[in-house]
Amino acid sequence: MKFTTVAAAASLLVTASAHGGVGTYIVGSTSYPGWSPYNSASGQSTIQRQYPSFDPLLIKDLTTTNIRCNNPGVLGTGPIGSIAAGDKLKVHWVQWTHRPAAVMVYMAKCPSSGCNSWDGAGKVWFKIDEQGLVSGTQNAGKWAGDTILDTLNWTSTIPASLTPGEYLIRHELLALHQANNPQFYPECAQFKVSGSGAVNPPSSALVSFPGAYSATDPGIAFNIDSEAAKVATTYPVPGPPVWDGTSNSQPTNPDPTTTTVPTATPTTLVTTKTPTPTSTCSSKKYQQCGGKGFTGCTVSEAFTAVFLLYIV
Ligand SMILES: *[C@@H]1O[C@H](CO)[C@@H](O)[C@H](O)[C@H]1NC(C)=O
Ligand SMILES: [Cu+2]
């Protein structure tokens, strides 16, 4: 029945027909309806943060809070999902037509007062899942978003070691079909995570929204039609690496504007933002930024190697 409702909402779309958002969250045999932006708010009970449309133009400015939980992500209104650490969370999109696209999933621990009145601000988000290019070349290969095109479904695993508590879970599609005009489609839902884990992600694994992405990141200043994209067989998914589930991970942050500086103990890392030179990584030069063996443009070979670990 829930899917019938979602389909009815989707059929009302006209201008936003190519776009979509997560419409259902599925844990085992339990389904939690997402927000239906084109339906009246009255009568909707959802674990998802409310937003007004699927319009990606309202999320294009990566320096605004719209990039966090969509535009503007009305705070939680009560309902919360339940999931155990280590369990699978399947989400079902209402609709989707763009290819190629990358898929990213983040979580953030809500304060002890719970998720309801919390806006997700601060360096609190860690990545639990990502996939960009699956096989072939950027231009003609298979992308994570193709799975959404084919099935509308995506399944991620909640890290088994995670400390129980209330969390926001942020699903994101990054559509790359237009040269140098990325479209972000994020939505957040609130979940109570149960389990006996006791690990919190270290600060080195945490990012903020806005803050995690820069328009000059190689996976964002991206031209799917470039000559480089016709031969490149990897794609640098934006944002931090997927958290490894430990409290002392030292991920190499693939965000080229971020430098991670280890301090005396391996469990404490200091992350410093440095300004990105605006001219070195322009979209025109993407083929150099993303090309094999290119070490300029603040993207090092080390970054590329670490990225490859996460994409397979
Ligand atoms: C996607 O998930 C929904 C809900 O669980 C399910 O009914 C549907 O069969 C799935 N689609 C595919 C193609 O696996
Ligand atoms: Cu579009």
Side-chain angles (χ1 to χ4, degrees), residues 3 26 90 92 150-153:
F3 285 108
I26 301 153
K90 177 178 178 179
H92 183 85
D150 293 344
T151 69
L152 293 175
N153 295 328

Side-chain angles (χ1 to χ4, degrees), residues 38-190:
Y38 298 90
N39 287 358
S40 161
S42 73
Q44 288 199 55
S45 173
T46 175
I47 64 171
Q48 197 179 57
R49 294 288 160 105
Q50 302 175 17
Y51 53 95
S53 80
F54 296 146
D55 186 351
L57 298 178
L58 300 171
I59 313 174
K60 286 198 76 63
D61 184 348
L62 297 179
T63 66
T64 76
T65 54
N66 287 356
I67 190 63
R68 192 182 299 150
C69 292
N70 206 317
N71 165 47
V74 173
L75 302 185
T77 52
I80 187 164
S82 294
I83 192 165
D87 273 4
K88 288 182 163 35
L89 173 62
K90 177 178 178 179
V91 302
H92 183 85
W93 268 266
V94 172
Q95 56 181 11
W96 187 248
T97 59
H98 286 321
R99 80 166 301 279
V103 179
M104 293 167 269
V105 186
Y106 293 78
M107 295 179 73
K109 192 164 204 286
C110 299
S112 53
S113 52
C115 291
N116 268 339
S117 57
W118 187 56
D119 64 0
K123 199 164 160 276
V124 291
W125 295 90
F126 53 98
K127 194 185 266 175
I128 64 164
D129 193 11
E130 70 174 20
Q131 195 170 48
L133 184 62
V134 177
S135 62
T137 64
Q138 291 175 346
N139 182 267
K142 179 174 162 53
W143 286 73
D146 295 1
T147 301
I148 313 297
L149 269 180
D150 293 344
T151 69
L152 293 175
N153 295 328
W154 189 263
T155 300
S156 309
T157 302
I158 306 300
S161 59
L162 191 63
T163 302
E166 293 192 8
Y167 288 83
L168 290 181
I169 304 181
R170 175 182 180 277
H171 282 81
E172 177 174 53
L173 282 173
L174 169 53
L176 299 162
H177 55 296
Q178 290 178 354
N180 307 310
N181 190 23
Q183 297 180 355
F184 295 84
Y185 300 85
E187 292 94 30
C188 303
Q190 43 195 46

Side-chain angles (χ1 to χ4, degrees), residues 170-299:
R170 175 182 180 277
H171 282 81
E172 177 174 53
L173 282 173
L174 169 53
L176 299 162
H177 55 296
Q178 290 178 354
N180 307 310
N181 190 23
Q183 297 180 355
F184 295 84
Y185 300 85
E187 292 94 30
C188 303
Q190 43 195 46
F191 273 90
K192 181 171 261 179
V193 175
S194 59
S196 54
V199 182
N200 292 306
S203 65
S204 59
L206 301 176
V207 295
S208 62
F209 288 103
Y213 302 155
S214 156
T216 55
D217 290 349
I220 294 176
F222 181 80
N223 184 349
I224 189 65
D225 300 317
S226 69
E227 290 306 311
K230 291 172 184 163
V231 293
T233 53
T234 62
Y235 163 79
V237 180
V242 171
W243 177 48
D244 67 3
T246 70
S247 59
N248 60 357
S249 58
Q250 296 182 60
T252 302
N253 197 320
D255 178 347
T257 64
T258 303
T259 313
T260 303
V261 184
T263 57
T265 64
T267 52
T268 314
L269 298 178
V270 178
T271 300
T272 328
K273 281 275 181 188
T274 51
T276 310
T278 48
S279 59
T280 50
C281 202
S282 73
S283 50
K284 264 177 82 175
K285 291 182 181 170
Y286 171 75
Q287 57 191 99
Q288 290 179 303
C289 294
K292 277 203 182 80
F294 181 73
T295 54
C297 205
T298 75
V299 184

